[in-house]
Amino acid sequence: MKISIQNLTKQYGNQFALNNVSFDINQGEVIGLLGPNGAGKSTLMKCLIGSLNPTCGVITMDDEVIQKNELEAKKLMGYLPENNPLYTEMYVKEYLAFVADIRGLSMEEVHHVIEQVGLTPESSKKIKALSKGYKQRVGLAQAIIHQPEILILDEPTNGLDPNQIIEIRNLIRAVGQNKTVILSTHIMQEVAALCTRVVLLNQGEMLANKSIDEFKGDYNSLEDAFYDLTTK
Ligand code: ADP
Ligand code: MG
């Protein structure tokens, strides 16, 4: 499955949240979507999963325009939104059963995903009673329950403690195998640990689309490269 983003633009009044962004994503790649706050990362992800209509431009999957067959495209994608919105009054298993029902899946998939993301000891608790790390596991569980080919994760480790960051990162690596992953983050270590390629956005413009090594180039670190490219 090859994804192609072509001349994607999203305009809010005079502001360009995305300005003529084009790049391709090959099957099995793990793309690190980088950029300062307000760069357009979440907007790009929302366009990809079809919850936001771009002002212009198209996204294709294997040459099919996704806007023309949104439902089929959505079946192939899993999405963990920024700040992981969950129904916190629901119990873990109840919530995942609800997601499974929407996706036309059985309780077997619910039990499988609970085990896969390491939620078994917490599965009878209310979501609001979980630590942030475990809430993130619930978010990941709803994103992968239907075994999508494409996984879109918007700042999945934001706000976690250092141990939780490592645990969620390892989980992303495990569940992301044999999938195409698009992940936004501010943690450059994470980019180095997980990603095969970097796409850098700033004020809606794409500034770089490079391998990690190319992105680092002659800079001392990925942080230096990021700083220099986004503050010029
Ligand atoms: P990022 O995820 O990189 O932090 P976003 O994609 O959330 O950035 O936002 C990109 C820009 O678009 C920001 O300047 C943001 O304020 C603006 N924006 C996003 N959503 C809306 C909206 N619904 N109405 C107006 N402006 C928006
Ligand atoms: Mg965002």
Side-chain angles (χ1 to χ4, degrees), residues 4 14 43 79 86 104 107 110 112 146-148 164 171 173-174 194 196 203 223-224:
S4 181
N14 293 328
T43 302
Y79 173 48
L86 293 167
M107 278 309 283
V110 174
H112 175 253
H146 56 300
Q147 304 191 5
Q164 293 169 334
L171 194 55
R173 191 183 287 119
L194 291 176
T196 51
Q203 296 180 2
E223 283 86 354
D224 284 353

Side-chain angles (χ1 to χ4, degrees), residues 92-94 96 107 109-123 141:
V92 172
K93 204 184 288 177
E94 181 193 16
L96 291 171
M107 278 309 283
E109 277 101 343
V110 174
H111 295 132
H112 175 253
V113 84
I114 284 175
E115 194 159 326
Q116 194 181 3
V117 302
L119 269 172
T120 309
E122 309 288 302
S123 64

Side-chain angles (χ1 to χ4, degrees), residues 30-34 41-42 45-46 48-49 77-84 136 139-144 148 150-158 168-169 171-173 175-176 179-186 190 194-195:
V30 181
I31 304 282
L33 189 59
L34 307 185
K41 304 180 296 296
S42 298
M45 289 179 156
K46 286 176 198 162
L48 262 172
I49 61 125
M77 298 191 214
Y79 173 48
L80 175 59
E82 194 171 22
N83 303 319
N84 190 14
Q136 215 60 8
L140 267 176
Q142 65 73 29
I144 62 168
I150 301 158
L151 203 49
I152 297 171
L153 308 173
D154 198 351
E155 301 198 29
T157 58
N158 189 24
I168 294 297
R169 191 183 295 164
L171 194 55
I172 291 170
R173 191 183 287 119
V175 301
K179 294 191 197 304
T180 304
V181 182
I182 300 138
L183 161 121
S184 66
T185 178
H186 291 306
E190 197 148 288
L194 291 176
C195 302

